[in-house]
Structure formats: C-alpha cells, structure tokens
Amino acid sequence: MNWKFWQRNKSAEPKKKKSKAREWTDAIIFAVVAATIIRVFFIEAYTIPSGSMEKSLLVGDFLFVSKVNYGARIPMTPVAFPFAHHTMPITGTKAFWDGVQWKYRRLPGLQDIKRNDVVVFNFPEGDTVALENQNASYYDLVRGAGWKTVNSQYTIGSRPVDKRENYIKRCIAIAGDVVSMKNGIANVNGKDEPLKDTGMMPYRIQFSSTDFNPQVLADLGINTAEIQRTEDPQAYIVNASAEIITEVKKLDFVKSAALSAASSTEVESGGIFPHDPNRPWNRDNFGPIKVPAKGWTVQIDSNTMPLYYRAIRTYEGNKVEQKGKVWYINDKEATSYTFKLNYYWMMGDNRHNSLDSRYWGFVPEDHIVGKALFIWMSFDGEGSWFSKIRWSRIFKGIH
C-alpha cells in the first residue's frame, strides 16, 4: 500500500466524538485544576468565624485573601483533597497525606508584611490536635490537665504547617520589633499604639442613675447583649471603641467612661505566653518581648529560653535539650542561636475576646497564608436570607 495514500485517507477519517460523560469529566477536571491554581497562588475566599477582630471584621463576613501580596507559598503538603483544608467534610477523616512533604518556599511578593496589616496565617500551636476538642489548643489542654490526662482522654493527631487551622489577626509587630503592653495599650519600639476606630476594649461606664434606655447605647454601636454588671448598680462594663466612648461621654445620663484594663498584678486564668512562672503577665500587661528576625542572634540563658524555646525547637526544627544549666542545640553546647526565619506578633482588634500572640507567641513566616483584601459578602445571621445581607459591607476594603 502506498504510504502517502494511506496517510491521506487516515486523516480524512472523522474523529470519534467524545461522549457526554467524557465531556463532563474533562470539564470538571479542568475546573478543579484551574480553581486549585487560583486558590493556591492568587486569591482565596475566607469566612470570619468569631468576633476576635470586631469591629474591623464581623462574624459572617466573607473575605478575599490575596496570596500575591506577600508571595504565594508553594504547597508544603502537595497530596491533598481539593477544596478541603485538613478534614473531609462528611467522613471527618484527614483530607491530606503527609507522606510527601516539601520544604518551605515562597514566590516573590508585591510587599513585605507591614505593621497593622490584617493577615491570615496557620495557627502556630496547631501542629498537635486533640481531635475530639479541636476548638481548644492542645497545649492549653496539657497545661491545664497534664499530658497524661489529655493523651488518655483524646485522640491526638498532628498536622503539617499548611494544614493547620487558619487564623486572621492584625500584625502588631514585625520581625525585629520590641512589643509590650501596659494597661491595655500596646507599645511597639517604645511608641504607644492605641486602638483606632477598628478595635474594641472593655470600658467602665458610670451612669447618673439606673434608669436609662439601652437602645441609646445600641444606636452608638454597643452590643447591649454583652453589657456586664458591676458591684455598683449604676456602673456597667461595655465593649466599645475609643470613638464610640467619646460619643457615650456626651450623653447626659453618663457621669464617666474609662478604659477597664486588667491591673498589672491580676493573674490571667490559664496564663499567657511564654507561660513562665517568672513572668506574671496578663493580656493587658506584658513584655517587653523582642520578635525574632532572620539573622538575629539571641543569647541563650534561663531568661531568654522561655521566650524562644518553641521557635528554636519546633518552628526551626532543631533538637533542643537542657542538661543542668547548660543548653544543647543539635547535641552541641550552645550559648547563642541565630534565627533562620522572620516572625510576627499578631493580635485581634477585639482585645478581650481574642486568642492571639499573647497566648501562643510568635507567628513564623512559613505560617503566613496571605493578606486580607476586601469583604465580598456579609450576613448578620438574623431574618430572611435577603435581610441578612449587610449591604454596607459588600466590597468594603480591609484596613
């Protein structure tokens, strides 16, 4: 047979048409791959689950988080079920396989993390999880009940960095900064950083009588369901911003309104970072603490190790031991350590309703997911689905 003739006739044969099932399969595979690429490298949707960022972000806000601003993080656990973070929605089993782990790498970004950026990151203490009580930190459970009790009562699991729970907080201090807090006012590098209109703190309001209309406070933006009574029947504790309190003070039935921060001697239930008995700090009074920076060398002693032990051991992957008064890193006696990663100090805007760096410490750079950009939808959870929409928050930028 003539080869050219055969080729001509073969090319003239009609191509076999794909079946409907094959077309749908190809379309679904393409959509999944395209959506995964967008989600991993460009932008991802995120929901606000708690009130820790009020009043900047509200429960029911749906955000878009940019992976481009800080540089997209290359997946560290590449074998995972699409669109499931760490747990399968129906079976409750793991949605990833940690048999393959890639080193931390990040694509070039448009900017570095700046102070006051609203950042999404993986929960640093989420490496170990009590599966039956995932809302609580495993380490808090151990500090409260002891290792033996917790490990006998719960099924304990582990998660790689990129499969830990997603948190959203405001970056208060960046690598190299010195952060502290006194009487509820944060201080960074010696400069006080009081909450602006975005944040909430408890205030004690002294009324001129017990006869007042709570709706007046609600109209100013105070959640009246959260108002707390005090020993004085004419005084209440409310959660509000400084700007709201300025308006409250103008009311004729208000005698005074002042910040109600914990005293420096008040003991914090459960303790705060670094959970050191020599540092009796609380959520409104702590520090100073220097946030580790890549290339910064810290002297190792009994004063610094409570602050930096977890960063050196867990986040940077070193073997750390103490023998007597001598510290060993990777089986070598060590009097100093030079950090390999940058770290950040994250706090919620709703300062007395936020589990943040005050309780679990630094956020390593390899835990950073992205920068919160804007709210694309928001529901207040009351009424019909249409009336639930907070129209004023749609496409609102995050500052």
Side-chain angles (χ1 to χ4, degrees), residues 150-163:
V150 172
N151 281 262
S152 63
Q153 289 183 351
Y154 299 101
T155 304
I156 307 302
S158 62
R159 288 175 182 160
V161 170
D162 56 342
K163 296 302 177 184

Side-chain angles (χ1 to χ4, degrees), residues 308-380:
Y308 304 113
Y309 173 84
R310 181 170 172 83
I312 296 170
R313 178 184 178 273
T314 305
Y315 304 145
E316 306 218 345
N318 296 289
K319 179 183 177 183
V320 182
E321 293 179 292
Q322 185 180 20
K323 298 177 182 179
K325 294 184 179 181
V326 180
W327 287 94
Y328 291 82
I329 297 179
N330 299 325
D331 298 319
K332 295 181 180 179
E333 185 176 336
T335 57
S336 65
Y337 179 79
T338 301
F339 287 93
K340 295 177 284 188
L341 297 172
N342 286 318
Y343 292 79
Y344 304 92
W345 189 267
M346 307 286 187
M347 289 173 62
D349 286 354
N350 194 350
R351 290 288 161 83
H352 275 212
N353 187 29
S354 174
L355 293 175
D356 48 40
S357 285
R358 291 171 293 177
Y359 296 90
W360 33 256
F362 313 113
V363 177
E365 66 176 74
D366 63 350
H367 284 54
I368 300 298
V369 174
K371 180 179 182 179
L373 290 183
F374 64 90
I375 300 163
W376 63 271
M377 181 55 72
S378 182
F379 296 96
D380 69 5

Side-chain angles (χ1 to χ4, degrees), residues 137-359:
S137 164
Y138 166 79
Y139 297 97
D140 277 345
L141 294 173
V142 170
R143 281 188 284 265
W147 183 91
K148 186 175 181 180
T149 300
V150 172
N151 281 262
S152 63
Q153 289 183 351
Y154 299 101
T155 304
I156 307 302
S158 62
R159 288 175 182 160
V161 170
D162 56 342
K163 296 302 177 184
R164 296 169 192 173
E165 206 68 57
N166 286 328
Y167 272 36
I168 184 167
K169 305 290 178 188
R170 190 176 297 277
C171 179
I172 298 301
I174 61 175
D177 284 347
V178 176
V179 62
S180 63
M181 203 166 188
K182 185 176 181 180
N183 297 325
I185 304 295
N187 182 289
V188 180
N189 299 329
K191 180 183 177 183
D192 283 347
E193 298 288 346
L195 282 166
K196 305 296 191 295
D197 190 44
T198 58
M200 310 280 273
M201 279 288 288
Y203 285 83
R204 182 186 175 97
I205 300 178
Q206 187 75 39
F207 296 98
S208 55
S209 73
T210 56
D211 184 21
F212 66 91
N213 185 2
Q215 186 58 43
V216 177
L217 299 180
D219 292 341
L220 291 176
I222 293 173
N223 185 345
T224 54
E226 295 179 353
I227 294 178
Q228 302 174 37
R229 294 181 177 275
T230 68
E231 70 286 348
D232 184 343
Q234 292 182 207
Y236 294 83
I237 303 294
V238 304
N239 209 25
S241 67
E243 288 73 17
I244 290 176
I245 293 300
T246 298
E247 297 302 314
V248 167
K249 289 178 178 179
K250 297 177 182 178
L251 300 174
D252 55 8
F253 56 85
V254 172
K255 292 176 65 176
S256 64
L259 190 64
S260 178
S263 70
S264 59
T265 58
E266 185 175 323
V267 178
E268 185 79 20
S269 176
I272 67 166
F273 177 82
H275 304 280
D276 177 12
N278 296 317
R279 291 179 168 92
W281 297 341
N282 58 44
R283 58 187 168 181
D284 291 330
N285 298 274
F286 67 82
I289 300 171
K290 181 162 184 176
V291 182
K294 183 178 180 179
W296 175 57
T297 300
V298 62
Q299 297 303 307
I300 292 177
D301 53 38
S302 59
N303 183 55
T304 59
M305 282 307 280
L307 290 168
Y308 304 113
Y309 173 84
R310 181 170 172 83
I312 296 170
R313 178 184 178 273
T314 305
Y315 304 145
E316 306 218 345
N318 296 289
K319 179 183 177 183
V320 182
E321 293 179 292
Q322 185 180 20
K323 298 177 182 179
K325 294 184 179 181
V326 180
W327 287 94
Y328 291 82
I329 297 179
N330 299 325
D331 298 319
K332 295 181 180 179
E333 185 176 336
T335 57
S336 65
Y337 179 79
T338 301
F339 287 93
K340 295 177 284 188
L341 297 172
N342 286 318
Y343 292 79
Y344 304 92
W345 189 267
M346 307 286 187
M347 289 173 62
D349 286 354
N350 194 350
R351 290 288 161 83
H352 275 212
N353 187 29
S354 174
L355 293 175
D356 48 40
S357 285
R358 291 171 293 177
Y359 296 90

